[in-house]
Amino acid sequence: MDLARARYLVSPAGKSALASLPAGLPVESPGRLATALRRTFPAAEASALAEQLTLRARASRNHGISREFLYTAEGLEMMTHPLVAARRADRLAGYEREVVDLTAGLGGDLHAVAARDVPCAGLEREPATALLAAANTGVPVVRGDAAHPPFDVARLAVVLDPSRRAGTSRTFDPAAYSPRWDAAVAIATSAAAGVIKAQPGIDASYIPPGIELEAVQLGTSMRELTIWFGQGAEPGIRRAVLLPAGETLESNEPEAPPEPRAPATFLFDPESCVTRSTLVRQLAHRLGAWMLDPHIAYLSADAAAFSPLAATFQVLEALPFSVSRLKERMRQGRWRADEIRRRAFPVEPDEMRKLLGRLEGDPVTLLFTTIGSQRTVFICRRLFAPA
């Protein structure tokens, strides 16, 4: 977004114009929306207002809540989900320190901290984004480079969310982040308290040893790895976090034995936050289950158990994998594949559906995996915790 547009949007005239817009405008069609608004506003203003209404509608769909933020398309894509930001802010508020978000963006994390009456400020390198962030949060947002923060971080709690964009494309190379990954770690380490938000798939070699690590999932979506430093951090702890349930699992909990055992009547498929934080054996102990293979996350047990951190299935049949054999057994059982899951199996679920073709009958879940060297399919019924 250019600076002139940002200045208009944060001005009294821009705020008044946005507030005056009626409900029911065609936000699903930016072109039609801008045309409608040009009947009332000059072209540049109509374009700016249309963009905001379109982005607010997108934010409402993505986040499940409506709020009167000012957005940019790139900033919205990078913004922390409000539930994730709220959980982080609750923890930061307990530190009783001023919080500075060194990568403020549009102010998603900063807004959550400010809402808890914690003294805070933001740093943002893009001038237009800094203007919008200040308007969104109501706290100071200064321009600057997170790699060289104009603050005494040794007395602060700092938040860092390194940008994973290089020009118009996304980058997965931490050396290309802004600030660079090594710089972000150095800053967080030197702060009184620090937290870095990392992409869920970052290579483990980039995670500093001995820190506290959280794998944060919202619904079915892995959102981030959260790395904590300094005050309040628990060195060496790994934690799976599932929102909005608020369910957690920690590395200091008891583990099931590593030795695999044969599958029994019930199977469990752990959530992504569990596997990403390498806490499968801790979950197995919690469920009274065991491993099927040292390298596969599916678990098994003789009795059903329920946790938000895993899906529970009753095994109806287990077969060595063969498309023809599976199709024949599905027809015999009058089953159809309602859901297909896989771990350590070479065929994608969509491709497997095509291979199986049209089947009629009761809905079942197919779990495909490789146990030892044997490719196996489990025909299962999904179970849910009693109400």
Side-chain angles (χ1 to χ4, degrees):
M1 179 181 292
D2 64 61
L3 190 56
R5 175 169 289 195
R7 284 173 174 158
Y8 167 68
L9 290 169
V10 303
S11 71
K15 292 178 181 178
S16 177
L18 269 173
S20 72
L21 298 177
L25 289 169
V27 294
E28 72 285 350
S29 174
R32 286 179 56 208
L33 178 58
T35 298
L37 293 176
R38 279 198 292 271
R39 301 188 188 112
T40 307
F41 300 95
E45 295 179 9
S47 177
L49 297 172
E51 178 185 47
Q52 288 307 305
L53 291 184
T54 302
L55 291 174
R56 283 182 177 181
R58 187 186 305 169
S60 180
R61 292 192 299 270
N62 292 351
H63 296 161
I65 61 172
S66 297
R67 57 185 182 184
E68 295 183 349
F69 262 32
L70 297 172
Y71 295 101
T72 65
E74 180 180 324
L76 174 57
E77 186 175 335
M78 297 178 62
M79 181 176 282
T80 304
H81 191 283
L83 291 179
V84 178
R87 182 178 181 276
R88 181 164 28 249
D90 285 340
R91 178 164 173 174
L92 290 168
Y95 291 170
E96 298 184 346
R97 288 185 180 274
E98 183 178 359
V99 176
V100 174
D101 188 340
L102 298 177
T103 49
L106 292 172
D109 280 292
L110 191 57
H111 178 270
V113 173
R116 284 148 181 79
D117 295 323
V118 175
C120 56
L123 182 70
E124 171 56 43
R125 63 180 180 176
E126 297 292 337
T129 304
L131 277 179
L132 301 188
N136 288 339
T137 62
V139 301
V141 178
V142 300
R143 286 187 58 196
D145 182 357
H148 307 284
F151 302 100
D152 180 10
V153 298
R155 64 178 184 83
L156 301 171
V158 301
V159 179
L160 283 150
D161 181 8
S163 173
R164 293 178 287 280
R165 286 198 168 272
T168 59
S169 61
R170 186 179 293 272
T171 179
F172 297 97
D173 178 9
Y177 290 177
S178 181
R180 289 170 55 97
W181 181 256
D182 54 356
V185 170
I187 293 164
T189 303
S190 65
V195 54
I196 299 179
K197 173 183 169 182
Q199 66 185 38
I202 190 170
D203 190 275
S205 64
Y206 289 99
I207 305 299
I211 47 76
E212 177 186 341
L213 175 73
E214 295 183 321
V216 181
Q217 180 176 339
L218 178 64
T220 60
S221 173
M222 266 300 302
R223 291 289 172 153
E224 63 181 59
L225 295 185
T226 312
I227 306 171
W228 295 89
F229 301 81
Q231 178 184 348
E234 299 181 73
I237 287 289
R238 303 186 315 282
R239 184 178 299 110
V241 178
L242 181 63
L243 299 175
E247 190 78 9
T248 62
L249 180 70
E250 297 191 350
S251 56
N252 57 5
E253 296 186 29
E255 303 177 21
E259 294 79 19
R261 293 168 56 186
T265 307
F266 299 94
L267 293 181
F268 308 95
D269 187 10
E271 292 290 345
S272 298
C273 59
V274 175
T275 55
R276 187 62 185 88
S277 53
T278 62
L279 298 177
V280 174
R281 286 172 55 198
Q282 284 83 351
L283 179 62
H285 183 275
R286 186 182 286 191
L287 294 171
W290 57 81
M291 309 287 291
L292 298 179
D293 183 282
H295 308 292
I296 307 300
Y298 286 141
L299 305 171
S300 189
D302 292 314
F306 300 95
S307 166
L309 294 169
T312 301
F313 300 93
Q314 180 182 7
V315 178
L316 304 176
E317 187 116 13
L319 303 169
F321 174 68
S322 156
V323 172
S324 59
R325 183 186 298 120
L326 177 58
K327 288 173 69 173
E328 179 60 26
R329 187 65 191 94
M330 294 282 281
R331 290 193 185 99
Q332 291 173 357
R334 298 187 60 80
W335 293 316
R336 61 177 174 83
D338 183 56
E339 181 184 22
I340 296 177
R341 299 184 178 215
R342 66 164 187 154
R343 290 189 182 274
F345 194 84
V347 183
E348 295 282 352
D350 286 346
E351 182 62 25
M352 185 59 68
R353 286 189 186 279
K354 294 177 183 177
L355 292 172
L356 292 175
R358 183 176 178 83
L359 295 166
E360 301 291 343
D362 295 331
V364 294
T365 297
L366 301 180
L367 304 183
F368 293 88
T369 192
T370 305
I371 301 174
S373 60
Q374 177 66 61
R375 291 177 181 170
T376 302
V377 56
F378 296 94
I379 304 172
C380 302
R381 179 178 293 115
R382 176 78 184 266
L383 303 179
F384 296 91

